[in-house]
Amino acid sequence: MKLVRYGRPGKEKPGLIDEEGKLRDLSGVIADIDGAQLSDKALRKLAKLDEKTLPLVRGNPRFGVPLAKVGKFIGIGLNYADHAAESGMPIPAEPIVFMKAITCLNGPDDNVVLPKGSKKTDWEVELGVVIGTRAQYVSEEDALKYVAGYCVVNDISERAFQLERGGQWDKGKGCDTFGPVGPWLVTRDEVIDEQDLDLYLEVNGKRMQTGNTQTMIFTVAQIVSYLSQFMTLEPGDIIATGTPPGVGQGRKPQRFLKKGDSLRLGIAGLGEQQQDVVAWTA
């Protein structure tokens, strides 16, 4: 299934994308799409619905983050060897973990706002992993059983805040609008191989990132297992699993986002995002 939340910010309704690519309303079946709806049992119940009986949504409504009540938004850094190289950093021996503030969550096509004082805001297309079952100390072999599904994430990052202002990476990762997620959550059963997905990102129509999850240093299963050793993963938590090469910081000369830029990014089978970059205003 492709699960979505659509409507004005803060007023989103649950929905799904049917086999013909049409948006259907789920609000008569469930109140929202959150952690409670992501267990295998709950997803099987939704999968049994006759899509044609669900109301068709007319027009082209805005898509929001496909999950409500996200508890944790976790990032994995330098998880593609060629991205680590372009960043001038060694390949990590263990996953690099950081947190993105929940307040940075943004709809997939909502504007990206350059924060006040920003000079080096960058892009990162990433495979997002959504937890469906509470996970504590899970094995790598069992880790994927705890995954509800996958989505596209743009891990927007302000590099000066991240790397030049002291402390950890979080300051450059959690600014408002720095976490576009969606357009939809694709359930685990529809993703044949999470380690063979093409990713891409364009700025103003020019291809900047081209990659495949085959080249991840740590696989999705390894990441879920690893994180569960240090924190309890709850249903609805989102993990951004790292980005392939082609970010602005790694280009020569470096290229960072500015007002008026447009972003287009996606992952095979998981949909596409489009964002306009705007300046912060009081």
Side-chain angles (χ1 to χ4, degrees), residues 94-144:
E94 295 187 33
I96 294 173
V97 180
F98 60 89
M99 306 298 286
K100 288 180 72 74
I102 299 304
T103 48
C104 84
L105 286 165
N106 209 26
D109 300 330
D110 292 346
N111 290 341
V112 169
V113 179
L114 297 173
K116 187 176 181 179
S118 168
K119 296 179 180 179
K120 297 182 179 180
T121 295
D122 207 345
W123 56 83
E124 297 188 32
V125 59
E126 306 201 4
L127 172 64
V129 176
V130 177
I131 298 299
T133 302
R134 196 167 192 257
Q136 293 175 299
Y137 300 106
V138 302
S139 68
E140 184 180 329
E141 292 72 23
D142 290 336
L144 294 183

Side-chain angles (χ1 to χ4, degrees), residues 38 75 93 133 168 173 223 239 253:
L38 298 180
T133 302
Q168 300 180 354
K173 296 287 190 174
I223 290 168
I239 306 167

Side-chain angles (χ1 to χ4, degrees), residues 3-10 12-13 61-68 105-110 180-185:
L3 299 174
V4 302
R5 297 174 67 247
Y6 68 95
R8 291 177 296 153
E12 293 92 346
K13 294 181 179 181
R62 167 191 174 270
F63 282 173
V65 176
L67 293 166
L105 286 165
N106 209 26
D109 300 330
D110 292 346
V181 177
W184 40 70
L185 165 64

Side-chain angles (χ1 to χ4, degrees), residues 94-228:
E94 295 187 33
I96 294 173
V97 180
F98 60 89
M99 306 298 286
K100 288 180 72 74
I102 299 304
T103 48
C104 84
L105 286 165
N106 209 26
D109 300 330
D110 292 346
N111 290 341
V112 169
V113 179
L114 297 173
K116 187 176 181 179
S118 168
K119 296 179 180 179
K120 297 182 179 180
T121 295
D122 207 345
W123 56 83
E124 297 188 32
V125 59
E126 306 201 4
L127 172 64
V129 176
V130 177
I131 298 299
T133 302
R134 196 167 192 257
Q136 293 175 299
Y137 300 106
V138 302
S139 68
E140 184 180 329
E141 292 72 23
D142 290 336
L144 294 183
K145 297 176 184 177
Y146 293 80
V147 173
Y150 302 92
C151 57
V152 181
V153 171
N154 192 356
D155 176 22
I156 303 288
S157 308
E158 213 298 340
R159 302 301 188 188
F161 295 179
Q162 176 188 356
L163 302 171
E164 300 171 18
R165 300 284 296 272
Q168 300 180 354
W169 288 8
D170 300 31
K171 285 183 289 187
K173 296 287 190 174
C175 302
D176 291 353
T177 75
F178 272 26
V181 177
W184 40 70
L185 165 64
V186 180
T187 52
R188 186 179 76 229
D189 58 297
E190 289 200 5
V191 178
I192 296 172
D193 185 356
E194 75 287 346
Q195 297 304 149
D196 188 15
L197 298 173
D198 291 328
L199 307 86
Y200 62 90
L201 182 143
E202 299 173 354
V203 179
N204 301 335
K206 179 180 178 181
R207 180 65 64 95
M208 296 294 190
Q209 289 186 276
T210 301
N212 187 286
T213 56
Q214 287 180 348
T215 63
M216 288 167 60
I217 298 169
F218 304 104
T219 65
V220 171
Q222 289 171 326
I223 290 168
V224 172
S225 174
Y226 183 85
L227 290 174
S228 77

